[in-house]
Every structure is written in structure tokens, then in C-alpha cells.
Amino acid sequence: MNEWPIDPEKETRLFLPLQWKDEDENQVCFVRYDVERSLLKIVDDENVIVHMINPLDVIGVTVEIRLLQESNITSEKSEDLSRIVVHNQEPITNHLIPVDSQAHAVLHLYTYPKSIKSSSFFCSKNNKVNCPCADYTPGTGPRVACPFSFPVAPAHDFEALNDLVQAIRKVAHLKKRDPKKSYLVLINPNSGIKKADQCWKSIAQPMLEKEAGISMTVRRTSFGGHATQLILDEGPDLTGKYAAILCLGGDGLLYEVVQGLQQRDDFEQVLDHVALGILGCGTSNGLAKSITFDAKEHHSLLESTFLIARGRTLKVDLSRYQVSNKIYYSFLTFTWAMIADVDIDSEMIRCLGFLRIDIWGAFCAARMRRYRGRLSYLPLGDINSQMPSLNDSPPSNWKVIEDDIIILWASHVTHAAESTYSSPPSRLGSGVFQIMLVHGKHVSRMSMVSILLGLDSGSHAQHKDVKFIDCVAYRLEPLESGSYNDLDGEVIESGPIQAEIVPKALAVFGGKNEQV
């Protein structure tokens, strides 16, 4: 249970935000903490509760010091006032204020509660009645921006204000960040419908830089494979410069980043010390959706940014693939046969966005092509077994299925795309492959249509012709040509391929937003 470290006799006197005041004059208030309910409460000078805030909705606390006359310091300009903004972990001291200046401070609290209604809106002085945080009631809708600005009553020093900022950070469980490290932001402006730059400037950048106080280093990609090259060009001190790598683009951008990390000599060190943040701006955004789904959040760029700003991470699985003499690392899925055909061949109508998948899926279901293949897999329980060479036969404890395969889809995430709940049995960080298999000559076109239509909701998992195989390693040997080895949405070398799970190898921003 959290404790509120503020001595009541040393509380910071604040004034109510403009949108809460019933009269023009300043009304004194205080920030206190309801230990039993784990909620911040705003009370007036008679200890009447004016407002309740869930601290787990907070992404940042800043203090803005507004100087009432010009000085010799270098500062940002806001109308006719100079101002200094002090973020989260930084101490507020009297030395920030020039001796020839008068000043007053404003405490900014940036919160993103879940809305009570599913509509999206922002808090303002005109919508107090509809604000989801005006009288604390847990919401279930999408998160909405609810910033609060509390003018600070005049004081001789900022010690009490410092204590209040740190107390809010403590009960909000905001993670401390190394001030010497920034976040490396990689933006693919051509992903999806080409709005990654707009999404960065309008949503992600203000939330992360202005509100959460995170230092950013931004790079933009301009051609295929550019992100891989940018990761390789970072040099040996990547872990010393960056605490995280954020990807604004589709799964293809993240694929390039993972392959770039794999080629670095410090690959394992980077995985241990650098977190990944995924802000889905592409066509599919499978990992971004899987992360928000696991966190029980609605899926949007705002929710993904919220999880990054909160700073909590969880470990998810990677998988290691071997094909001929090359090694790949995967964060999403591998598919062969119909789903691979849909994913890759529909690129010719990419201009249609995700609709291309539906159109090509209908075509492939009508065509109903089967591919002869042999699937060998290592069931759960034999996790200490050594991976065989791709040139050797699978060990005797591997199981084998040889048949006409319609769908083979291996996952360690729940969603292959935003609207594709492809693997309901999967759990992030479980250390298990879930292989969806549809095979045999008995499967009809009508069954395939039913299976494909069920991918949005996950109901396909209950279809009689769908089998999910859980394993820790597997091998696919195509016995006829025609389809693709489709890894994380990218075509790799054809032919036999085998994979093993790498449990909890990658730290990503996410996890359930709850008390720890």
C-alpha cells in the first residue's frame, strides 16, 4: 500500500484550475492521497473533496515558473512572460529564478483516464460535467487527455512543491529515467497511409516530450532497409546513449530494427538494457495491437503512447529462425501456404490499405490451393533438447505431420494485425509457439470462408478444421514449391526452415496498468 509522504503542516497551497472555479477569485486547494482507495484527491481549504484522480492515469508532472519581468536568462517565451519548465525528476530550486525577477509557479498534472463513454474528447473549462475524471468513476472507454494546471500560491521557497511533485510521482509509479540517456525515435513516413509524421507531431511527441519529459533523438527512414542501417550506424555505445528505441511505422519498420540489432556484436547487451516502444502507424500493427490487448487497453496511437510514457515494461518472446545458412529473429509470426499468399501477393494492391487482405483472402479461399509439406515440432516438456541441424533429421522426440497444408501460422503474439485475432491461445512472454494448422483434403471452401471470417473475433479457434499446436521448436519442409516463407510480413529465403522460441528476450513498453 502506498504512503503519502507529505506532512499536512507543510502542504503546498494551490489554487483550483480555471475550469473548476465557480467564481473569479482564486480558491485555495490541496493535493492529498486516499490510501484506502489509492486515489489522489483535490480538496479545498475546508477539506471538501473537489476532485479525484487515479494516479495510474498520470504520465507526467511539471512545474512551470512564469517570470513576471524580463531577465538575462535564456528561456522560452509565452506571450509577454518568460517561463521555465521543470520536468518530473528535476529539482525545483530558487536558483532557477533570476534575482531581478518576480515569479509564480504552476503545477501541471498530465492524466489520461479511460473515458466513461466511448466518445473521445479533451477536458476543458466547458465540459466539467462530462469529464470522466470530474468525480472519480472508473471508465472503460478509450483514454482521453485530461491535463490540469494548478497555480501555486506564493511561497518563500520551493521545498514543499518539490516534495509534492515527488509524492505524486511515487504514488503514480512513474519510472525514473537516466537523464544522460534519450529515446531513439525511428519514423517511417511512408508506412501505411503515410501519416506517421503527423501522428508523431500531434500525439506522441507532445505526450512524451512536453508532458512526460522524455528526451528524444529522432531519425526518419527514407528507403527499405534504412532502419537496419541506422541501428548498425549507431556505433558501440548504443546502450550508453539510449534507454529505449521507439518505432513509428508498421511491423516492417520493427522487423528492420530487430534484424539490425541481430547483426550488432552487442545484440544481447542491447536486449538487456534497451526497451522497445511500438507506435503502430502501418497497415497491420500486429505487435502494437498484441501489447495493448495484453494490457487491457483500447487500441490506438494514444494508448500505445500512454504505455510508453508510463515507462513500465514487460518481457516478450522472440523466435530464432534458421533457413539455409542464415539466421533471423522474429517478434510476430511465421506463415506459409494460404495466409502467406494473401499477405505477399496482395502487395500489388497495397494502395487499398488493409482492405487488400480481405480481397485477396476471398480470392485464395475460392482458389483453395493446398501445399504438400512436412511439419515437425518439439512438444512442451522437452525444453532442454538441443536444436538439430537443419540438414539432419528431427530427433525421435519430435512429432511429425505430413499432409496437404492450407494454413500454417506460427505465433507467439495474439494478433497478427489490428483486426486479426489470429492466435487466441497465445500469451505474451509464455515461451510457447502456437501453430495454427489447417490441413487435409476434407476441408471445404465453405469451411475456409468460415475460418477466415472468424479471424477478426478469434472464433476460428473453435472451428472443427482448425488445430492449434503448442510447441517450443518446429521445422517446416515444403514438399512442393509455390508459396512463401513469410516472416513478420517479409519474404525470406524459400525452402526448409526451423525455429526455436527465445523466451522473454525483448523488453517492450506495456503490461497492465495496475498497482505494483
Side-chain angles (χ1 to χ4, degrees):
M1 183 177 291
N2 291 306
E3 293 184 0
W4 186 242
I6 303 297
D7 185 339
E9 296 184 359
K10 297 181 180 179
E11 287 183 309
T12 299
R13 295 174 70 246
L14 306 172
F15 296 126
L16 288 177
L18 185 63
Q19 66 262 40
W20 294 350
K21 293 196 299 184
D22 297 324
E23 303 173 2
D24 291 337
E25 67 270 12
N26 289 327
Q27 295 176 305
V28 173
C29 68
F30 302 91
V31 178
R32 293 174 182 161
Y33 188 64
D34 185 328
V35 177
E36 292 184 0
R37 299 176 64 190
S38 299
L39 295 173
L40 290 168
K41 56 184 181 181
I42 314 302
V43 300
D44 63 17
D45 53 0
E46 296 181 355
N47 203 31
V48 175
I49 295 176
V50 179
H51 204 78
M52 303 289 282
I53 298 172
N54 185 344
L56 298 185
D57 295 333
V58 175
I59 69 166
V61 191
T62 67
V63 173
E64 180 184 357
I65 302 172
R66 296 177 178 174
L67 307 180
L68 302 183
Q69 62 186 35
E70 292 296 331
S71 66
N72 295 323
I73 68 167
T74 301
S75 60
E76 298 178 49
K77 302 292 183 180
S78 177
E79 299 176 352
D80 61 335
L81 299 177
S82 297
R83 64 190 181 96
I84 304 168
V85 178
V86 184
H87 283 284
N88 294 312
Q89 300 171 189
E90 304 172 43
I92 312 159
T93 68
N94 292 332
H95 299 295
L96 292 171
I97 304 174
V99 294
D100 60 344
S101 298
Q102 297 179 359
H104 71 271
V106 179
L107 176 70
H108 297 291
L109 191 59
Y110 299 102
T111 77
Y112 286 81
K114 290 185 177 181
S115 57
I116 297 173
K117 297 181 180 180
S118 60
S119 59
S120 178
F121 55 86
F122 291 80
C123 284
S124 72
K125 62 183 180 181
N126 297 320
N127 72 349
K128 179 181 175 183
V129 174
N130 295 322
C131 176
C133 43
D135 174 20
Y136 185 73
T137 302
T140 58
R143 291 190 180 273
V144 293
C146 286
F148 305 116
S149 297
F150 299 91
V152 181
H156 295 293
D157 60 55
F158 291 107
E159 181 180 354
L161 184 56
N162 262 323
D163 291 343
L164 176 59
V165 169
Q166 297 310 314
I168 293 173
R169 286 187 55 80
K170 178 183 177 182
V171 298
H173 297 290
L174 293 177
K175 300 295 183 181
K176 289 187 177 181
R177 290 183 289 271
D178 187 340
K180 297 179 181 179
K181 296 182 180 182
S182 66
Y183 285 11
L184 175 61
V185 181
L186 300 178
I187 302 174
N188 180 359
N190 295 313
S191 285
I193 57 176
K194 302 184 178 182
K195 288 191 175 181
D197 263 322
Q198 178 183 333
C199 291
W200 167 247
K201 293 174 182 177
S202 64
I203 299 176
Q205 184 178 27
M207 288 178 66
L208 298 174
E209 281 193 331
K210 174 188 174 183
E211 300 176 2
I214 302 171
S215 175
M216 301 289 178
T217 301
V218 179
R219 304 272 189 270
R220 286 173 174 79
T221 63
S222 54
F223 54 85
H226 194 186
T228 298
Q229 193 59 51
L230 289 172
I231 293 296
L232 294 174
D233 289 346
E234 279 299 330
D237 194 32
L238 190 151
T239 56
K241 291 162 50 179
Y242 304 117
I245 299 172
L246 308 186
C247 297
L248 272 88
D251 291 323
L253 177 63
L254 187 56
Y255 175 85
E256 291 185 9
V257 169
V258 171
Q259 304 317 314
L261 293 175
Q262 175 204 338
Q263 297 173 42
R264 294 178 58 93
D265 294 336
D266 58 353
F267 176 42
E268 293 185 0
Q269 182 183 0
V270 173
L271 293 186
D272 287 340
H273 294 91
V274 179
L276 260 65
I278 299 92
L279 297 166
C281 301
T283 302
S284 297
N285 308 315
L287 184 56
K289 171 64 177 181
S290 295
I291 291 171
T292 54
F293 180 82
D294 173 77
K296 300 188 184 304
E297 298 281 350
H298 285 257
H299 180 68
S300 77
L301 188 74
L302 188 145
E303 268 82 1
S304 294
T305 307
F306 171 82
L307 292 175
I308 294 171
R310 288 285 300 163
R312 188 173 181 178
T313 61
L314 74 155
K315 289 282 193 174
V316 300
D317 302 331
L318 290 176
S319 44
R320 182 179 182 272
Y321 280 81
Q322 179 185 359
V323 53
S324 60
N325 293 318
K326 193 165 184 179
I327 300 296
Y328 294 91
Y329 280 82
S330 166
F331 59 88
L332 196 63
T333 69
F334 169 84
T335 186
W336 182 74
M338 181 182 288
I339 300 300
D341 294 351
V342 171
D343 186 24
I344 304 305
D345 288 339
S346 66
E347 286 286 337
M348 67 179 64
I349 53 172
R350 189 178 184 84
C351 61
L352 298 179
F354 200 75
L355 180 61
R356 68 183 172 92
I357 300 296
D358 295 334
I359 293 172
W360 218 265
F363 167 72
C364 287
R367 184 177 61 172
M368 198 63 177
R369 182 166 182 181
R370 295 170 170 84
Y371 295 92
R372 193 73 182 176
R374 182 183 302 118
L375 172 66
S376 308
Y377 62 94
L378 177 62
L380 300 183
D382 292 320
I383 58 175
N384 295 321
S385 299
Q386 293 290 322
M387 283 292 290
S389 166
L390 192 57
N391 297 320
D392 296 335
S393 299
S396 58
N397 59 336
W398 286 45
K399 296 186 177 182
V400 180
I401 297 174
E402 181 177 328
D403 203 350
D404 296 319
I405 295 174
I406 304 170
I407 293 177
L408 187 150
W409 205 346
S411 304
H412 39 76
V413 297
T414 52
H415 290 74
E418 289 179 356
S419 59
T420 306
Y421 189 13
S422 51
S423 187
S426 291
R427 297 292 180 270
L428 293 182
S430 67
V432 176
F433 282 117
Q434 293 289 345
I435 302 179
M436 174 184 167
L437 192 63
V438 180
H439 64 105
K441 295 186 180 298
H442 67 282
V443 181
S444 67
R445 286 180 173 82
M446 289 302 297
S447 285
M448 277 311 307
V449 169
S450 177
I451 291 168
L452 295 177
L453 289 175
L455 289 173
D456 288 359
S457 64
S459 62
H460 67 287
Q462 309 302 320
H463 196 281
K464 61 182 179 62
D465 290 326
V466 173
K467 176 189 298 185
F468 275 91
I469 298 170
D470 48 5
C471 61
V472 294
Y474 73 93
R475 176 187 294 178
L476 169 66
E477 298 170 89
L479 301 180
E480 63 177 275
S481 61
S483 190
Y484 307 93
N485 283 343
D486 180 0
L487 186 64
D488 296 348
E490 305 293 329
V491 179
I492 61 174
E493 293 86 345
S494 60
I497 184 171
Q498 67 181 18
E500 60 181 322
I501 205 81
V502 186
K504 299 184 183 300
L506 180 66
V508 298
F509 290 106
K512 296 178 179 65
N513 191 44
E514 56 192 11
Q515 296 283 356
V516 292

